[in-house]
Amino acid sequence: QKEVEQDPGPLSVPEGAIVSLNCTYSNSAFQYFMWYRQYSRKGPELLMYTYSSGNKEDGRFTAQVDKSSKYISLFIRDSQPSDSATYLCAMSARGNYGQNFVFGPGTRLSVLP
Amino acid sequence: DSGVTQTPKHLITATGQRVTLRCSPRSGDLSVYWYQQSLDQGLQFLIQYYNGEERAKGNILERFSAQQFPDLHSELNLSSLELGDSALYFCASSVDRGEGIQYFGAGTRLSVL
Protein backbone atom coordinates (compact mmCIF):
# COMPACT_ATOMS: atom_id res chain seq x y z
CA GLN A 1 0.00 0.00 0.00
CA LYS A 2 1.36 3.42 -0.95
CA GLU A 3 1.88 5.88 1.86
CA VAL A 4 -0.42 8.41 0.20
CA GLU A 5 -2.78 8.07 -2.71
CA GLN A 6 -4.49 10.84 -4.55
CA ASP A 7 -7.24 10.87 -7.15
CA PRO A 8 -5.21 10.65 -10.35
CA GLY A 9 -7.29 12.93 -12.52
CA PRO A 10 -7.11 14.71 -14.75
CA LEU A 11 -10.30 16.40 -13.68
CA SER A 12 -12.23 18.80 -15.95
CA VAL A 13 -15.09 20.90 -14.61
CA PRO A 14 -17.08 23.87 -15.90
CA GLU A 15 -16.49 27.29 -14.41
CA GLY A 16 -18.50 27.80 -11.24
CA ALA A 17 -18.55 24.12 -10.27
CA ILE A 18 -17.66 22.80 -6.84
CA VAL A 19 -14.50 20.73 -6.99
CA SER A 20 -13.56 17.98 -4.56
CA LEU A 21 -9.96 16.79 -4.41
CA ASN A 22 -9.07 13.87 -2.17
CA CYS A 23 -6.18 11.98 -0.65
CA THR A 24 -5.94 8.87 1.47
CA TYR A 25 -2.95 7.95 3.57
CA SER A 26 -1.76 5.02 5.62
CA ASN A 27 0.48 6.48 8.37
CA SER A 28 -1.61 7.30 11.43
CA ALA A 29 1.28 9.38 12.83
CA PHE A 30 0.63 12.21 10.37
CA GLN A 31 -0.68 15.26 12.18
CA TYR A 32 -0.21 18.15 9.74
CA PHE A 33 -2.01 18.19 6.43
CA MET A 34 -1.25 20.57 3.58
CA TRP A 35 -2.57 21.37 0.14
CA TYR A 36 -0.35 22.88 -2.52
CA ARG A 37 -1.25 24.30 -5.91
CA GLN A 38 1.26 24.00 -8.71
CA TYR A 39 0.90 25.79 -12.00
CA SER A 40 2.71 24.26 -14.93
CA ARG A 41 6.49 24.43 -14.50
CA LYS A 42 6.19 26.64 -11.40
CA GLY A 43 7.00 25.96 -7.77
CA PRO A 44 4.25 24.45 -5.57
CA GLU A 45 2.41 27.13 -3.62
CA LEU A 46 1.06 26.40 -0.15
CA LEU A 47 -2.71 26.89 -0.18
CA MET A 48 -3.76 25.70 3.24
CA TYR A 49 -2.65 23.60 6.14
CA THR A 50 -4.54 22.04 9.02
CA TYR A 51 -3.55 20.34 12.21
CA SER A 52 -5.27 17.09 13.17
CA SER A 53 -8.91 16.50 12.25
CA GLY A 54 -11.43 19.13 11.31
CA ASN A 55 -12.26 21.73 8.72
CA LYS A 56 -10.56 24.95 7.72
CA GLU A 57 -11.95 27.54 5.35
CA ASP A 58 -10.13 30.23 3.41
CA GLY A 59 -12.20 32.09 0.88
CA ARG A 60 -13.38 29.66 -1.77
CA PHE A 61 -11.23 26.85 -0.38
CA THR A 62 -12.13 24.42 2.40
CA ALA A 63 -9.79 21.75 3.71
CA GLN A 64 -11.21 18.78 5.56
CA VAL A 65 -9.32 16.16 7.55
CA ASP A 66 -10.76 12.91 8.86
CA LYS A 67 -7.96 11.19 10.75
CA SER A 68 -10.14 8.25 11.73
CA SER A 69 -10.57 7.41 8.03
CA LYS A 70 -7.14 8.68 7.04
CA TYR A 71 -8.80 10.83 4.42
CA ILE A 72 -8.33 14.48 3.52
CA SER A 73 -10.17 16.66 1.05
CA LEU A 74 -9.91 20.07 -0.53
CA PHE A 75 -13.09 21.70 -1.78
CA ILE A 76 -13.05 24.60 -4.20
CA ARG A 77 -16.29 26.57 -4.50
CA ASP A 78 -17.19 28.67 -7.53
CA SER A 79 -14.19 27.32 -9.42
CA GLN A 80 -12.45 29.68 -11.84
CA PRO A 81 -10.27 29.05 -14.90
CA SER A 82 -7.39 30.45 -12.83
CA ASP A 83 -7.81 27.44 -10.51
CA SER A 84 -6.58 25.20 -13.33
CA ALA A 85 -3.44 23.64 -11.91
CA THR A 86 -2.12 20.49 -10.28
CA TYR A 87 -3.09 20.10 -6.62
CA LEU A 88 -0.78 18.22 -4.29
CA CYS A 89 -1.70 16.97 -0.86
CA ALA A 90 1.05 16.61 1.71
CA MET A 91 1.24 15.46 5.29
CA SER A 92 3.80 15.32 8.03
CA ALA A 93 4.42 13.90 11.47
CA ARG A 94 6.48 15.35 14.29
CA GLY A 95 10.00 13.99 14.38
CA ASN A 96 13.60 15.09 14.37
CA TYR A 97 15.15 12.37 12.26
CA GLY A 98 14.37 10.75 8.99
CA GLN A 99 11.76 11.71 6.45
CA ASN A 100 8.60 12.53 8.36
CA PHE A 101 6.60 13.95 5.46
CA VAL A 102 5.15 12.78 2.17
CA PHE A 103 3.61 14.38 -0.91
CA GLY A 104 0.85 12.93 -3.02
CA PRO A 105 1.40 12.55 -6.77
CA GLY A 106 -1.05 15.36 -7.56
CA THR A 107 -4.38 15.80 -9.32
CA ARG A 108 -4.49 17.93 -12.44
CA LEU A 109 -7.55 20.17 -12.54
CA SER A 110 -8.89 22.04 -15.56
CA VAL A 111 -11.68 24.57 -15.08
CA LEU A 112 -13.30 25.31 -18.41
CA PRO A 113 -14.77 28.76 -19.10
CA ASP B 1 6.56 35.27 -3.47
CA SER B 2 7.40 32.44 -1.05
CA GLY B 3 10.63 34.05 0.13
CA VAL B 4 12.70 31.07 -1.06
CA THR B 5 15.21 32.07 -3.71
CA GLN B 6 16.71 29.68 -6.22
CA THR B 7 19.44 30.41 -8.72
CA PRO B 8 19.92 30.06 -11.57
CA LYS B 9 16.43 29.91 -13.08
CA HIS B 10 17.62 27.99 -16.11
CA LEU B 11 20.71 25.92 -16.74
CA ILE B 12 21.74 24.28 -19.98
CA THR B 13 24.72 21.96 -19.98
CA ALA B 14 26.12 18.87 -21.63
CA THR B 15 26.28 15.25 -20.56
CA GLY B 16 29.15 14.45 -18.24
CA GLN B 17 29.29 17.95 -16.81
CA ARG B 18 28.82 19.14 -13.24
CA VAL B 19 26.50 21.91 -12.06
CA THR B 20 25.63 23.59 -8.79
CA LEU B 21 22.17 24.80 -7.88
CA ARG B 22 21.76 27.33 -5.09
CA CYS B 23 18.95 27.94 -2.63
CA SER B 24 18.41 30.68 -0.06
CA PRO B 25 15.68 29.77 2.44
CA ARG B 26 13.08 32.11 3.91
CA SER B 27 14.37 34.28 6.70
CA GLY B 28 14.28 32.28 9.92
CA ASP B 29 13.83 28.88 8.30
CA LEU B 30 16.32 26.26 9.41
CA SER B 31 15.40 23.37 7.12
CA VAL B 32 16.08 23.12 3.42
CA TYR B 33 14.69 20.41 1.16
CA TRP B 34 15.60 19.50 -2.42
CA TYR B 35 13.23 17.91 -4.92
CA GLN B 36 13.45 16.77 -8.52
CA GLN B 37 10.44 16.96 -10.82
CA SER B 38 10.65 15.49 -14.30
CA LEU B 39 8.16 16.48 -16.98
CA ASP B 40 4.59 15.76 -15.85
CA GLN B 41 5.84 13.73 -12.90
CA GLY B 42 5.39 14.13 -9.17
CA LEU B 43 7.87 15.62 -6.75
CA GLN B 44 10.76 13.31 -5.95
CA PHE B 45 12.28 14.12 -2.58
CA LEU B 46 16.06 14.14 -2.69
CA ILE B 47 17.45 15.35 0.63
CA GLN B 48 16.76 17.55 3.68
CA TYR B 49 19.18 19.60 5.76
CA TYR B 50 18.42 21.10 9.14
CA ASN B 51 20.68 23.81 10.50
CA GLY B 52 23.66 22.53 8.55
CA GLU B 53 23.20 18.82 9.12
CA GLU B 54 21.65 16.18 6.94
CA ARG B 55 18.30 15.13 8.40
CA ALA B 56 16.63 12.95 5.79
CA LYS B 57 17.62 11.38 2.53
CA GLY B 58 15.27 10.35 -0.26
CA ASN B 59 15.93 9.05 -3.73
CA ILE B 60 19.14 10.94 -4.24
CA LEU B 61 21.64 9.46 -6.67
CA GLU B 62 25.27 9.01 -5.63
CA ARG B 63 26.22 11.47 -8.38
CA PHE B 64 24.25 14.14 -6.51
CA SER B 65 25.28 15.78 -3.27
CA ALA B 66 24.13 18.71 -1.19
CA GLN B 67 25.20 20.82 1.72
CA GLN B 68 23.84 23.59 3.90
CA PHE B 69 26.18 26.37 4.91
CA PRO B 70 26.39 28.31 8.21
CA ASP B 71 24.31 31.13 6.71
CA LEU B 72 21.68 28.43 5.98
CA HIS B 73 21.81 28.67 2.22
CA SER B 74 22.12 25.33 0.46
CA GLU B 75 23.69 24.01 -2.69
CA LEU B 76 22.83 20.92 -4.70
CA ASN B 77 25.68 19.54 -6.77
CA LEU B 78 24.91 17.33 -9.75
CA SER B 79 27.83 15.60 -11.44
CA SER B 80 28.41 13.28 -14.40
CA LEU B 81 25.16 14.57 -15.79
CA GLU B 82 23.00 12.36 -17.96
CA LEU B 83 20.16 13.20 -20.31
CA GLY B 84 17.72 11.81 -17.75
CA ASP B 85 18.77 14.39 -15.19
CA SER B 86 16.95 17.06 -17.18
CA ALA B 87 14.21 18.22 -14.85
CA LEU B 88 12.97 20.98 -12.61
CA TYR B 89 14.79 21.10 -9.30
CA PHE B 90 12.95 22.70 -6.42
CA CYS B 91 14.18 23.85 -3.08
CA ALA B 92 11.83 24.29 -0.15
CA SER B 93 12.36 25.59 3.35
CA SER B 94 10.57 25.37 6.65
CA VAL B 95 10.95 26.64 10.18
CA ASP B 96 10.67 22.99 11.14
CA ARG B 97 9.32 23.22 14.65
CA GLY B 98 8.01 19.76 13.79
CA GLU B 99 5.10 20.59 11.52
CA GLY B 100 7.00 20.18 8.27
CA ILE B 101 5.15 22.93 6.41
CA GLN B 102 7.34 23.68 3.42
CA TYR B 103 7.55 26.76 1.23
CA PHE B 104 8.90 26.25 -2.26
CA GLY B 105 11.12 28.29 -4.50
CA ALA B 106 10.45 28.89 -8.17
CA GLY B 107 12.83 26.14 -9.21
CA THR B 108 15.82 25.69 -11.47
CA ARG B 109 15.16 24.21 -14.87
CA LEU B 110 18.06 21.99 -15.88
CA SER B 111 18.49 20.88 -19.46
CA VAL B 112 21.19 18.33 -20.20
CA LEU B 113 21.97 18.08 -23.91
Side-chain angles (χ1 to χ4, degrees):
Chain A
Q1 182 185 9
K2 290 185 181 178
E3 198 162 19
V4 58
E5 298 195 45
Q6 191 169 355
D7 294 343
L11 185 61
S12 289
V13 301
E15 184 176 352
I18 296 175
V19 177
S20 171
L21 302 167
N22 308 293
C23 285
T24 58
Y25 62 95
S26 58
N27 187 347
S28 58
F30 290 139
Q31 295 179 296
Y32 296 90
F33 303 90
M34 289 75 76
W35 284 97
Y36 290 83
R37 177 176 63 196
Q38 185 178 23
Y39 292 114
S40 181
R41 305 190 120 179
K42 303 292 185 186
E45 170 195 0
L46 179 67
L47 275 178
M48 299 179 71
Y49 67 88
T50 54
Y51 172 71
S52 196
S53 285
N55 293 356
K56 186 173 183 179
E57 187 174 321
D58 184 1
R60 296 185 295 109
F61 299 88
T62 299
Q64 226 172 52
V65 175
D66 182 348
K67 287 193 69 179
S68 62
S69 302
K70 299 192 184 69
Y71 190 87
I72 69 171
S73 299
L74 177 71
F75 297 96
I76 307 174
R77 290 184 300 281
D78 187 25
S79 55
Q80 303 295 310
S82 58
D83 295 328
S84 298
T86 297
Y87 290 80
L88 305 163
C89 63
M91 46 213 72
S92 66
R94 284 195 173 273
N96 291 326
Y97 298 99
Q99 184 181 345
N100 60 344
F101 59 90
V102 65
F103 279 80
T107 299
R108 184 176 296 178
L109 171 67
S110 295
V111 181
L112 307 175
Chain B
D1 184 358
S2 68
V4 179
T5 304
Q6 287 188 249
T7 56
K9 286 186 169 48
H10 305 280
L11 205 46
I12 301 174
T13 188
T15 54
Q17 295 299 303
R18 172 189 169 94
V19 297
T20 298
L21 282 53
R22 182 187 169 102
C23 171
S24 294
R26 295 186 321 155
S27 176
D29 285 359
L30 298 178
S31 266
V32 170
Y33 311 75
W34 286 99
Y35 294 83
Q36 180 192 59
Q37 188 175 45
S38 301
L39 192 63
D40 292 333
Q41 300 297 309
L43 289 171
Q44 294 296 318
F45 168 65
L46 297 178
I47 197 162
Q48 176 195 0
Y49 278 82
Y50 174 79
N51 204 18
E53 298 205 357
E54 182 183 307
R55 171 168 282 188
K57 189 176 273 193
N59 301 319
I60 188 166
L61 299 173
E62 285 191 11
R63 300 184 286 108
F64 296 0
S65 65
Q67 53 184 328
Q68 186 178 28
F69 294 87
D71 67 353
L72 300 177
H73 91 270
S74 178
E75 293 181 356
L76 178 68
N77 299 296
L78 314 176
S79 61
S80 302
L81 285 168
E82 303 174 359
L83 295 176
D85 297 327
S86 296
L88 276 165
Y89 290 84
F90 291 109
C91 166
S93 74
S94 72
V95 173
D96 203 15
R97 286 187 290 262
E99 70 279 7
I101 297 168
Q102 300 176 35
Y103 296 85
F104 284 79
T108 293
R109 186 178 307 168
L110 174 66
S111 297
V112 182
L113 306 179

